[in-house]
């Protein structure tokens, strides 16, 4: 069953039941080596799933749970190998959403839950998105309206020191570094690495059907205008994902308003919906305005680079 969390909708199954967890991989078409995050009601429930952890890890739990932070820790034998993609570690978190917490409390079992989308598509931030992707393949979706953050949780690897940020999300690097030492994995910025620490890093994510290109640098608006001119010779249906302050600058294209550049949370919660809207409008080519990489901008740009399959134009 799919359910809302404060990040995106998750597709949940009993994390201790191998057969149930297999069904998640099947419904999503998710590669078997891409491990799932286990959601619990509180840190007490997590104690039997992971080996004893340090006071530094405890400090992260105390500061950020319930909330959008997943911690990778060495797992116990209680967690089936299918959940962790065969790794000896498991990602755990306590979500901060009233429906998710109620569900976890009633279920009394840890729930393995990846994002409730078809693998490779943008993560679902509304119940309709889940249904469009998975109707007929899952039992139900618990409709909690739009999710708050709109981006998946921050993932950090706590099996190494300093801890390592593998996926930026709602809890920012700046917030983490105020509590403990955290280094940034190169996979956050690029897909050029030999062996990813997080299996999910090697798969294409968040991609609509259109060709997406991301424009970064100091002359974004003029470069986007130039691209529109050039590419209109090739594509009939062009879209631009722009901040609200720039939406009137682009003519003869479908402009998708990401939200104000002064409200990065609003932008974070709109980008997956807009990437899906690009598909509904049958856009062939989408130009996305880049954003500053600080705080929430780090997570947003990480997802946009992936949506663009790392086609990045420096202006
Ligand atoms: P999703 O469930 O779709 O939000 O994706 C979960 C992300 O966390 C994927 O990128 C996984 O590869 C990553 N992940 C989950 N468990 C682990 C783990 N034990 N070690 C490394 N990465 C993990
Ligand atoms: Mg996902």
């Amino acid at each position: 069953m799919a359910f809302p969390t404060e990040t995106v909708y998750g597709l949940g199954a009993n994390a201790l039941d191998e057969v149930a967890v297999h069904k998640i991989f099947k419904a999503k078409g998710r590669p078997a080596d891409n491990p799932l995050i286990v959601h619990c009601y509180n840190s007490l429930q997590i104690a039997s799933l992971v080996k004893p952890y340090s006071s530094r890890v405890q400090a992260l739990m105390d500061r950020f749970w319930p909330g959008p932070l997943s911690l990778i820790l060495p797992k116990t034998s209680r967690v089936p190998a299918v959940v962790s993609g065969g790794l000896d570690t498991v990602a755990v978190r306590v979500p901060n959403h009233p429906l998710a917490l109620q569900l976890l409390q009633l279920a009394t079992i840890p729930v393995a839950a990846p994002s409730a989308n078809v693998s490779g598509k943008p993560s679902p931030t509304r119940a309709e998105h889940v249904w469009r992707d998975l109707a007929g393949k899952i039992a139900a979706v618990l409709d909690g309206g739009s999710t708050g953050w709109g981006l998946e949780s921050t993932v950090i690897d706590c099996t190494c020191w300093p801890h390592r940020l593998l996926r930026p999300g709602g809890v920012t690097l700046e917030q983490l570094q105020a509590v403990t030492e955290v280094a940034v994995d190169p996979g956050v910025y690029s897909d050029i690495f030999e062996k990813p620490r997080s299996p999910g890093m090697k798969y294409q994510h968040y991609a609509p059907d259109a060709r997406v290109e991301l424009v970064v640098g100091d002359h974004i608006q003029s470069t986007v205008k130039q691209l529109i001119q050039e590419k209109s010779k090739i594509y009939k249906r062009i879209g631009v994902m722009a901040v609200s302050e720039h939406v009137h600058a682009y003519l003869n294209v479908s402009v998708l308003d990401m939200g104000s550049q002064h409200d990065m949370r609003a932008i974070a919660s709109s980008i997956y919906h807009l990437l899906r809207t690009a598909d509904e409008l049958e856009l062939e080519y989408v130009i996305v305005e880049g954003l500053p990489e600080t705080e929430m901008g780090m997570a947003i740009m990480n997802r946009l680079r992936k949506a663009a399959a790392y086609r990045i134009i420096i202006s």
Side-chain angles (χ1 to χ4, degrees), residues 16-40:
L16 307 178
D17 179 343
E18 249 175 82
V19 176
V21 173
H22 268 299
K23 289 184 185 167
I24 295 181
F25 284 90
K26 188 152 179 259
K28 281 180 58 83
R30 184 175 175 105
D33 69 346
N34 194 3
L36 308 181
I37 295 170
V38 177
H39 294 67
C40 287

Side-chain angles (χ1 to χ4, degrees), residues 24-294:
I24 295 181
F25 284 90
K26 188 152 179 259
K28 281 180 58 83
R30 184 175 175 105
D33 69 346
N34 194 3
L36 308 181
I37 295 170
V38 177
H39 294 67
C40 287
Y41 178 64
N42 57 24
S43 50
L44 285 180
Q45 200 181 23
I46 280 165
S48 68
L49 307 177
V50 300
K51 303 230 166 103
Y53 44 81
S54 70
S55 57
R56 292 189 289 241
V57 170
Q58 184 66 53
L60 289 168
M61 293 175 174
D62 292 345
R63 169 72 181 81
F64 297 110
W65 283 358
L69 178 65
S70 299
L71 304 176
I72 295 173
L73 293 163
K75 76 175 192 70
T76 63
S77 58
R78 225 179 145 221
V79 180
V82 59
V83 171
S84 62
L87 300 173
D88 52 11
T89 56
V90 65
V92 286
R93 89 173 183 104
V94 178
N96 187 14
H97 188 288
L99 278 181
L101 285 172
Q102 234 178 313
L103 181 74
L104 290 167
Q105 191 177 20
L106 289 171
T108 69
I109 39 144
V111 172
S115 50
N117 52 299
V118 163
S119 251
K121 286 284 158 198
S123 294
T125 56
R126 303 176 181 199
E128 314 75 281
H129 297 161
V130 176
W131 213 236
R132 216 161 293 147
D133 272 16
L134 297 175
K137 294 182 178 163
I138 63 171
V141 51
L142 201 58
D143 189 348
S146 291
T147 56
W149 287 100
L151 290 182
E152 304 84 348
S153 60
T154 303
V155 177
I156 62 170
D157 186 348
C158 298
T159 65
C160 52
W161 184 255
H163 296 331
R164 192 178 271 246
L165 178 70
L166 301 184
R167 177 173 79 182
V171 172
T172 64
L173 178 65
E174 291 84 346
Q175 287 174 312
L176 291 169
Q177 286 175 337
V179 176
T180 191
E181 244 181 274
V182 178
V184 181
D185 192 272
V188 167
Y189 295 110
S190 107
D191 63 346
I192 306 164
F193 36 73
E194 279 172 13
K195 188 177 181 300
R197 285 184 91 90
S198 175
M201 283 176 163
K202 65 177 184 274
Y203 296 111
Q204 196 190 344
H205 273 76
Y206 322 120
D209 296 331
R211 179 183 175 89
V212 179
E213 289 181 354
L214 177 63
V215 180
V216 299
D218 298 332
H219 307 284
I220 291 181
Q221 275 198 63
S222 55
T223 306
V224 172
K225 284 180 188 168
Q226 206 180 323
L227 276 171
I228 293 172
Q229 259 199 337
E230 275 171 31
K231 302 289 179 159
S232 57
K233 293 178 195 131
I234 308 170
Y235 300 107
K236 278 203 239 22
R237 285 184 300 278
I238 296 181
V240 176
M241 282 171 60
V243 293
S244 307
E245 288 79 2
H246 299 171
V247 290
H248 299 297
Y250 307 123
L251 305 173
N252 306 319
V253 290
S254 301
V255 183
L256 304 171
D257 186 349
M258 296 194 285
S260 168
Q261 60 193 354
H262 304 297
D263 187 355
M264 294 300 266
R265 265 201 78 158
I267 295 182
S269 66
S270 76
I271 58 167
Y272 286 142
H273 180 63
L274 295 183
L275 290 169
R276 284 175 176 267
T277 305
D279 279 348
E280 275 158 33
L281 297 173
E282 297 181 354
L283 300 179
E284 298 160 288
Y285 175 65
V286 176
I287 310 164
V288 186
E289 289 187 341
L291 298 157
E293 292 262 356
T294 50

